[in-house]
Amino acid sequence: MTCAVRESGGGWRCAGVRWPREVPELGWSRGGDRRVSVLAYGAGLGFRAVGERHCVGARGNVCPLGAVVPGRSTGGRCAECARLDRAHSVAADTMADDPRTYRVYLAWFGPGMVKVGITGEERGAARLREQGAVAFSWLGRGPLMAARRTEEVLRAALGVPDRIPYAKKRAVRGQLPGTEERAGAVAELYARAAALEGRGWPESLERLPLEVVDQVGIFGLDRAPDPAPGRSVRESAPAPVRSVRELVDGGVVAGRLVAAAGPDLHLAVADGGVVVLDTRLITGWDLTSVTRAAEVTEVTGSDVRVPLIDIGGGGVQGGLF
């Protein structure tokens, strides 16, 4: 099995999935050093968690306390580092004099799941990939406070939420409607937003034309996993129904990467199913490579040896360890 995980004997810790381009990358940190591992669909990925999970720090700085954080935390930070990280984010509205250009976007994650947001223009669509947006369109561009004001006006007028929980995104990701329906949902939202121009929409925000970008192909959600040995195409791995709840010391996750969206990796495992790993749960852990499926299956009969939950109902699965 090909493994995309760095050995952590030298102190490397995983920083989660990043999307600087149209392929996912796992980030790694060791003090001030940074590395990445580019992931490929169809390749194997496996690791074992070692020791305790530690705070990932804030704004590129190491946590001064070296604090231990809970395994189920998707933030991966202690309370103090979380506060510092939030205080310097765009969402905190503490950067009114930011000279950069920002863009307002309209994002669609599944039926009935839309949101308005902003991102720095120099980042391109990286923010949309990080959020797992299935389809999106730019709406406008301008100074930070104009973009922020537009975002607030649209949220209030259109009744769209500030954020959509990842659990809801996962629940619908395996049953998405077709390309035309996805594009139509974004176009409808764009039309409603554009109709508000001149009604609270800042004059300094330039409206951009509708151009729907569909990211299903980028995420690998448009291809069925290759069948496991001995299975026909019709028997290949189904849509994901389980997700990793947390890592534990000695816990193992291994499988074949078949898709990725936002922080989530979809792994085809030995029993023919697909398990979702939210990589926000692996930040702060020391990870060692698992290079052979036999290292897992000989012990457990599966590619996963950490707690799992059902994506739809949240119930704990049997045979966790």
Side-chain angles (χ1 to χ4, degrees):
M1 171 179 288
T2 302
C3 185
V5 174
R6 285 182 177 272
E7 293 287 356
S8 59
W12 289 99
R13 286 182 178 159
C14 187
V17 163
R18 303 171 181 178
W19 289 89
R21 292 172 291 278
E22 294 185 352
V23 293
E25 300 177 354
L26 276 179
W28 303 92
S29 64
R30 183 176 62 185
D33 294 333
R34 301 289 184 269
R35 300 286 189 275
V36 296
S37 299
V38 178
L39 303 181
Y41 299 136
L45 185 149
F47 63 82
R48 186 189 311 274
V50 178
E52 295 179 308
R53 187 187 188 193
H54 291 84
C55 174
V56 297
R59 317 305 294 179
N61 298 307
V62 176
C63 174
L65 303 176
V68 174
V69 295
R72 299 186 189 183
S73 168
T74 53
R77 293 184 173 90
C78 67
E80 181 63 16
C81 286
R83 183 187 67 79
L84 291 173
D85 189 68
R86 175 72 180 179
H88 292 85
S89 71
V90 172
D93 284 335
T94 58
M95 305 165 62
D97 59 347
D98 190 331
R100 295 174 296 177
T101 299
Y102 282 79
R103 288 199 173 201
V104 181
Y105 62 79
L106 306 172
W108 184 90
F109 299 89
M113 298 184 192
V114 295
K115 67 162 289 187
V116 177
I118 69 172
T119 185
E121 186 169 67
E122 77 280 1
R123 297 199 67 208
R127 180 62 177 154
L128 283 305
R129 296 189 288 269
E130 291 168 355
Q131 292 187 7
V134 175
F136 74 92
S137 176
W138 301 115
L139 178 66
R141 62 187 297 273
L144 172 59
M145 299 314 292
R148 176 63 75 202
R149 173 60 180 165
T150 303
E151 179 187 39
E152 293 172 352
V153 168
L154 296 180
R155 284 175 177 171
L158 303 181
V160 295
D162 290 357
R163 61 190 63 191
I164 298 173
Y166 280 101
K168 290 187 176 181
K169 300 175 189 178
R170 293 184 194 113
V172 301
R173 199 175 288 153
Q175 304 175 9
L176 296 173
T179 305
E180 291 185 4
E181 186 172 342
R182 299 194 296 265
V186 176
E188 179 184 3
L189 181 62
Y190 179 94
R192 293 172 59 201
L196 296 172
E197 192 170 8
R199 297 160 55 189
W201 184 312
E203 293 182 1
S204 56
L205 191 91
E206 172 193 356
R207 180 154 67 93
L208 297 174
L210 171 68
E211 185 176 347
V212 179
V213 178
D214 195 288
Q215 303 198 116
V216 164
I218 293 173
F219 293 153
L221 299 173
D222 59 344
R223 59 173 71 87
D226 295 331
R231 293 173 177 265
S232 68
V233 173
R234 294 177 62 85
E235 296 173 323
S236 60
V241 295
R242 297 173 295 170
S243 64
V244 174
R245 182 178 65 183
E246 64 178 319
L247 299 189
V248 294
D249 181 24
V252 172
V253 175
R256 185 164 43 83
L257 183 66
V258 294
D264 292 347
L265 302 181
H266 294 212
L267 302 174
V269 296
D271 64 4
V274 173
V275 170
V276 174
L277 170 65
D278 182 344
T279 56
R280 296 176 300 170
L281 297 175
I282 69 177
T283 59
W285 281 99
D286 283 337
L287 304 177
T288 59
S289 294
V290 175
T291 57
R292 296 187 306 112
E295 293 183 36
V296 184
T297 56
E298 286 175 0
V299 178
T300 67
S302 175
D303 280 344
V304 179
R305 195 158 59 92
V306 294
L308 303 176
I309 58 173
D310 179 79
I311 289 178
V316 178
Q317 302 295 300
L320 303 183
F321 296 94

